[in-house]
Amino acid sequence: MPLLKPLPPPPPPPPAVLINRAISILKRHHPLDINSLSPHFTPQLTSNLLLQSQFDKPLILKILKWAQTHPFFDLNCKCISLHILTRFKLYKTAQSLAQNVAVESASSGDKGRLVFEGLKDSYQVSNSSSSVFDMMVKTYSFLNMIDSALNTIVLAKCSGFMPSVLSYNWVLDSVISSRKTMELAEELYNDMMKSGVQANVFTYNILIRGFCAVGDFDRGLGFYREMERKGCLPNVVTYNTLIHAYCKVGMIDEAFKYVKLLSRKNLEPNLISYNVIINGLCREGRMEKTSEVLEEMSRKGLVPDEVTYNTLVNGYCKDGDFHQALVLHAKMIRNGLSPNVITYTSLISSMCKARNIHRAMEFFDQMIVRGLRPNERTYTTLIDGFCQQGCLDEAYRFLNEMSKSGFSPSIVTYNALINGHCISGRIEDGFKVLQDMTEKELVPDVVSYSTLISAFCRNQDMERAFEITRMMVEKGILPDTITYSSLIKGLCEQRRLAEACDLFQEMIGKGLTPDECTYTTLINGHCIEGDIKTALYLHDEMINKGLLPDVVTYSVLINGLSKQARTKEAKQLLFKLYYDDSVPVDVTYNTLIETSSNIEMKSVIALIKGFCMKGLMKEADRVFESMLQRDERPSAAVYNIMIHGHCRGGNLQKAYNMYQEMMHDGFVAHTATVIALARELRKDGLTEELNQVIENTLRSSQLTDAELAKLLVQINNKEGNVDAAFDVLIEMAKDGLLPNSGKSARQNTADCILDWSSIIKIQLGHVLKKGCLGRGR
């Protein structure tokens, strides 16, 4: 029997029938049934379906959900869909589809021309608007496809479509964020102006941010002035941008001007404004100023957030104020705010610097409990902390943990390990770490070699130190100031001063500037050899180069002078240094005071005066206490200076206690001292103490000449008319009726205290014209 031929497949339904059937299925909420129609759909049919349904939002979304995964959903279909979605303001869905279109077309290299042509051809039938081109420019800008974004703007303008300010803003933002040249941004802005597109506050904010970011403040401020000139009012973001820019380059005072300007422009600084300022202050180490900013925030009802606290904790850690950092961290936790990885790393670093490794580990554990992942710096900080204390086993444990967490140890990490071995006296093991670095294709730096060189120098192994130096030079790494300083110190300790001086000259010849350590080492070397003249010459050269000697430098010089029986020169040097502002506050001077004779006490008084004039009252107190420990009775001049200094320094209780001691020792306070002390007592409302000072002063005055004046003072003071009492006291002082500490101390007082009449004129001169002075006379 002949075989039956298979029946041919039924012909596809007509396009109109397919479209209607698809619409019917999708409207009946049976999306799976639509799959039976998929084999019959073509790009043209899909386009027709979209256009026929373009005013039915729910239906369009269902069509897209079905069609997008099929090959027949081509570029034309996508362009029609973009028109419809934009018209419905379904921007999120439109943005997602636009990104798909942009990425697919990127391989063609036509810079968005094909997509633009597709949008232009379907523009009319889709009842669209030019906002679809804005949306496409936004998409290209978001994907950093700047060339396609710019080309779309050009093509739109050539085709009669005017891109809005939004298009220009998005491209400008992308240009600046991608760190393209600012010339391109300026060209785009000029094109915008020529096209008649009006810049808005966002345009100017972007431009100001861009130019300030590259350090062109003049151009950034130019746009700020231009926007005001054109009637475009700056907003808080504008000022925050300027504040951030100035803070970034350390111009905090300029930044503060814009914070104040905000209020004058009827705008209020927001939390971002203050966080930026706080960050700038922390970077500059001006932590005391942050308290004022926090107070101002509080007055304006702004509550510090995580950014505020994290910034402050990091700032205090960097400044070395670990206590305040811990206080703020605790407050942050109490307020329900979470420290970030940077903050915990700063706290860990601070505890390591304070050699409190257990506390550092507590912070590390807290960090893990909070679900924060340590970064490379966290691990390196802990490794260095353990190395500094010679706990190498723990350091290597964290090195292994670091590697398991996916972080590769850096040069800084290995340098910490080298230093750890050197601290533990295992210098050769440190050298092996250096070799390991090379095997792992990490190039050791000058710190790696200098750490080893310094260790060998401390170990008196100068041969090995110079061997490492030659090795580093062969590797192309030049010694730095620290390298030379270590070698010079090692040579000096071996009494090889001539070689050390040769190395010093070699260092200068290579353009390296010696530091304080280098000079101090050589000064010490010359002092040991008895060459005080060269030591003093090096000291002067050091200061002339702008390097301030430290406590070690002065101890070395003073000891050297003392050993040469040149005690007088040692004392003169120390006193001179205080007045030249080149001596640190912690230089010891007790030995000088102990060797001072009574005749030299005038020098000690001069030293106290120097401290008081500089406001260094702690140092003045130390000299004063040293005198008492030696059973040296302070003179009236010393008391007057100290009381006056503590009044100026705000320590009123200390000043009054010294005044009482002075009176107990039988001395009479100088007029300037009385005025200064009485003024501060009055300011603090200490009436009883003020009355006592006035009574003591009147009791010691010349009775025959001052009887009426004293009576006026007593009456006015009793009645609470303190101004009048002060007036009479001042006039008595002018007439010489108040004591000047007695004849025995008068000369010292004249030498060591500020002119009392000048103080009176400055502080209370405005009351001299009052009538009671005439009556007092």
Side-chain angles (χ1 to χ4, degrees):
M1 289 182 65
L3 293 172
L4 295 173
K5 292 183 179 180
L7 295 172
V17 174
L18 277 172
I19 290 172
N20 289 331
R21 192 176 296 173
I23 291 172
S24 177
I25 291 171
L26 289 169
K27 280 189 172 182
R28 286 204 313 268
H29 307 291
H30 294 294
L32 293 177
D33 296 344
I34 196 73
N35 291 331
S36 61
L37 300 180
S38 298
H40 304 298
F41 265 80
T42 63
Q44 182 60 47
L45 201 60
T46 309
S47 297
N48 291 339
L49 173 63
L50 288 166
L51 291 172
Q52 189 170 324
S53 310
Q54 64 176 298
F55 298 106
D56 189 334
K57 187 195 291 188
L59 181 58
I60 281 292
L61 292 174
K62 288 178 181 179
I63 292 171
L64 288 176
K65 187 177 180 180
W66 159 63
Q68 278 189 91
T69 57
H70 294 284
F72 54 75
F73 195 71
D74 66 355
L75 179 60
N76 186 53
C77 296
K78 292 174 183 177
C79 287
I80 292 170
S81 300
L82 287 172
H83 285 299
I84 297 169
L85 290 169
T86 305
R87 176 158 44 77
F88 280 135
K89 294 183 171 53
L90 296 169
Y91 298 122
K92 189 174 180 180
T93 308
Q95 191 77 44
S96 177
L97 180 58
Q99 288 181 25
N100 174 266
V101 169
V103 171
E104 284 183 355
S105 64
S107 57
S108 65
D110 68 346
K111 297 180 182 179
R113 178 177 288 276
L114 192 62
V115 175
F116 176 80
E117 292 297 334
L119 289 170
K120 187 179 77 169
D121 292 343
S122 54
Y123 182 84
Q124 293 292 342
V125 293
S126 302
N127 297 282
S128 190
S129 68
S130 59
S131 60
V132 73
F133 300 110
D134 289 329
M135 190 267 300
M136 205 64 224
V137 171
K138 179 184 179 181
T139 301
Y140 286 131
S141 300
F142 178 77
L143 296 172
N144 204 29
M145 298 169 66
I146 296 172
D147 289 341
S148 295
L150 290 170
N151 200 35
T152 301
I153 289 176
V154 172
L155 291 169
K157 287 165 61 180
C158 292
S159 301
F161 301 106
M162 181 52 67
S164 74
V165 67
L166 296 175
S167 284
Y168 284 99
N169 287 350
W170 283 319
V171 183
L172 276 172
D173 190 56
S174 183
V175 167
I176 287 167
S177 299
S178 60
R179 301 193 179 278
K180 297 280 186 181
T181 60
M182 290 310 296
E183 286 82 358
L184 177 58
E186 192 139 23
E187 285 174 16
L188 188 59
Y189 173 73
N190 291 335
D191 177 70
M192 180 180 176
M193 294 295 100
K194 289 175 185 176
S195 302
V197 178
Q198 188 67 43
N200 60 17
V201 66
F202 301 104
T203 316
Y204 286 114
N205 286 349
I206 292 165
L207 288 165
I208 292 168
R209 171 167 56 87
F211 281 101
C212 287
V214 296
D216 192 347
F217 285 92
D218 290 339
R219 196 72 187 98
L221 288 172
F223 278 112
Y224 166 71
R225 287 188 288 267
E226 181 179 318
M227 72 185 294
E228 287 197 314
R229 193 170 59 250
K230 290 187 174 182
C232 180
L233 295 178
N235 59 14
V236 176
V237 176
T238 315
Y239 291 105
N240 284 350
T241 303
L242 290 167
I243 292 165
H244 174 73
Y246 280 112
C247 286
K248 192 175 179 182
V249 295
M251 298 171 68
I252 310 295
D253 294 331
E254 285 295 319
F256 267 115
K257 289 181 184 177
Y258 285 99
V259 174
K260 294 173 182 174
L261 189 60
L262 268 165
S263 299
R264 293 205 297 270
K265 297 286 185 178
N266 294 320
L267 295 169
E268 282 296 328
N270 58 18
L271 193 55
I272 294 172
S273 316
Y274 287 111
N275 281 344
V276 170
I277 282 285
I278 288 171
N279 185 49
L281 290 169
C282 289
R283 284 167 59 175
E284 293 296 306
R286 294 169 60 180
M287 300 309 299
E288 73 289 343
K289 190 75 175 174
T290 60
S291 301
E292 296 177 23
V293 178
L294 287 172
E295 287 175 11
E296 187 174 323
M297 285 174 64
S298 179
R299 286 196 301 270
K300 291 182 180 291
L302 294 171
V303 180
D305 63 358
E306 288 183 356
V307 175
T308 319
Y309 279 108
N310 282 322
T311 304
L312 285 168
V313 172
N314 296 334
Y316 278 111
C317 286
K318 182 181 174 184
D319 201 47
D321 191 345
F322 308 146
H323 172 73
Q324 189 60 24
L326 293 172
V327 168
L328 283 169
H329 169 259
K331 188 174 181 181
M332 185 179 187
I333 300 296
R334 283 199 307 272
N335 291 345
L337 301 173
S338 299
N340 57 22
V341 174
I342 297 171
T343 299
Y344 272 115
T345 302
S346 294
L347 288 166
I348 290 167
S349 176
S350 295
M351 292 302 103
C352 289
K353 286 175 184 175
R355 303 187 67 80
N356 190 346
I357 198 71
H358 296 295
R359 191 82 170 95
M361 282 304 301
E362 285 178 15
F363 282 122
F364 182 80
D365 293 338
Q366 275 185 37
M367 187 176 169
I368 301 299
V369 169
R370 286 183 172 272
L372 295 171
R373 186 169 178 257
N375 58 24
E376 180 189 327
R377 184 169 171 260
T378 316
Y379 284 113
T380 298
T381 301
L382 272 173
I383 290 167
D384 184 50
F386 281 114
C387 286
Q388 288 287 347
Q389 297 195 38
C391 304
L392 289 169
D393 290 342
E394 284 298 304
Y396 276 101
R397 182 173 74 82
F398 273 99
L399 181 69
N400 293 331
E401 188 176 317
M402 180 181 183
S403 299
K404 288 177 183 175
S405 298
F407 297 108
S408 298
S410 64
I411 293 175
V412 177
T413 316
Y414 280 109
N415 286 347
L417 290 167
I418 292 171
N419 188 45
H421 283 293
C422 291
I423 288 172
S424 301
R426 296 157 54 181
I427 309 175
E428 291 299 339
D429 287 340
F431 183 69
K432 287 178 184 176
V433 174
L434 187 84
Q435 293 174 315
D436 289 343
M437 288 172 69
T438 308
E439 290 172 9
K440 291 178 180 177
E441 299 184 351
L442 269 176
V443 181
D445 60 9
V446 66
V447 176
S448 316
Y449 288 105
S450 293
T451 303
L452 286 167
I453 291 166
S454 180
F456 280 119
C457 288
R458 286 196 304 270
N459 210 35
Q460 298 287 302
D461 191 347
M462 295 306 296
E463 184 179 344
R464 194 84 169 90
F466 279 108
E467 181 187 329
I468 301 291
T469 306
R470 286 190 292 272
M471 183 187 299
M472 74 182 284
V473 173
E474 287 170 5
K475 298 283 186 182
I477 298 169
L478 298 177
D480 63 5
T481 299
I482 295 173
T483 317
Y484 276 105
S485 293
S486 298
L487 291 167
I488 289 169
K489 187 176 183 182
L491 290 169
C492 285
E493 286 176 353
Q494 291 190 357
R495 306 287 292 268
R496 294 160 66 179
L497 185 58
E499 293 175 67
C501 290
D502 289 341
L503 207 57
F504 180 72
Q505 293 303 321
E506 178 186 316
M507 175 184 183
I508 294 172
K510 290 188 175 180
L512 291 172
T513 304
D515 60 11
E516 292 86 350
C517 179
T518 321
Y519 274 107
T520 299
T521 299
L522 281 173
I523 288 169
N524 186 43
H526 283 94
C527 284
I528 290 171
E529 298 298 328
D531 188 357
I532 300 298
K533 182 179 178 182
T534 305
L536 289 171
Y537 171 81
L538 285 169
H539 165 263
D540 293 340
E541 181 182 293
M542 180 181 186
I543 291 177
N544 290 335
K545 287 187 177 181
L547 299 171
L548 288 182
D550 60 10
V551 61
V552 179
T553 315
Y554 289 119
S555 297
V556 162
L557 267 174
I558 292 166
N559 288 335
L561 287 164
S562 298
K563 285 178 182 177
Q564 294 289 314
R566 295 164 68 173
T567 309
K568 185 177 179 182
E569 286 183 58
K571 283 193 278 287
Q572 287 175 347
L573 173 67
L574 184 58
F575 296 140
K576 175 181 177 294
L577 295 172
Y578 274 106
Y579 291 117
D580 287 347
D581 285 327
S582 58
V583 74
V585 295
D586 54 349
V587 168
T588 57
Y589 42 77
N590 289 343
T591 53
L592 297 179
I593 294 171
E594 287 168 5
T595 57
S596 295
S597 65
N598 290 333
I599 298 172
E600 292 171 326
M601 280 307 296
K602 184 176 178 181
S603 297
V604 176
I605 295 170
L607 184 60
I608 292 175
K609 177 190 172 186
F611 281 130
C612 290
M613 290 179 69
K614 294 171 185 288
L616 302 172
M617 295 312 299
K618 287 183 180 177
E619 287 70 26
D621 283 338
R622 284 168 60 191
V623 180
F624 187 83
E625 290 299 324
S626 298
M627 293 174 66
L628 296 179
Q629 288 169 11
R630 288 183 57 222
D631 292 328
E632 285 285 349
R633 185 177 178 230
S635 65
V638 171
Y639 276 120
N640 278 308
I641 294 166
M642 292 294 292
I643 293 167
H644 203 276
H646 280 301
C647 283
R648 289 175 64 193
N651 193 342
L652 180 56
Q653 188 60 54
K654 186 92 173 180
Y656 186 70
N657 290 345
M658 281 200 161
Y659 170 78
Q660 289 180 309
E661 288 176 26
M662 181 180 189
M663 299 302 293
H664 181 267
D665 286 352
F667 292 113
V668 177
H670 189 279
T671 306
T673 307
V674 171
I675 295 294
L677 183 60
R679 182 172 180 270
E680 295 303 314
L681 290 168
R682 175 198 175 195
K683 190 188 296 180
D684 278 24
L686 300 174
T687 309
E688 287 186 22
E689 290 83 352
L690 176 59
N691 288 338
Q692 188 62 54
V693 171
I694 290 175
E695 285 177 18
N696 290 340
T697 305
L698 295 176
R699 195 180 302 121
S700 60
S701 65
Q702 300 171 36
L703 292 175
T704 55
D705 296 335
E707 192 169 346
L708 178 59
K710 289 198 295 181
L711 184 62
L712 282 170
V713 171
Q714 289 170 337
I715 292 170
N716 282 305
N717 189 52
K718 190 175 290 186
E719 292 179 355
N721 192 356
V722 185
D723 277 340
F726 260 97
D727 293 344
V728 180
L729 281 174
I730 293 167
E731 194 65 17
M732 288 173 72
K734 286 179 67 183
D735 289 345
L737 301 179
L738 292 184
N740 274 332
S741 302
K743 291 181 181 179
S744 62
R746 185 169 295 175
Q747 188 58 47
N748 279 345
T749 305
D751 290 339
C752 301
I753 203 161
L754 296 174
D755 177 43
W756 65 267
S757 62
S758 299
I759 295 170
I760 293 169
K761 287 175 184 176
I762 293 169
Q763 296 178 344
L764 299 168
H766 65 283
V767 301
L768 291 175
K769 297 179 181 178
K770 292 186 178 180
C772 63
L773 292 182
R775 291 192 297 274
R777 298 180 70 169

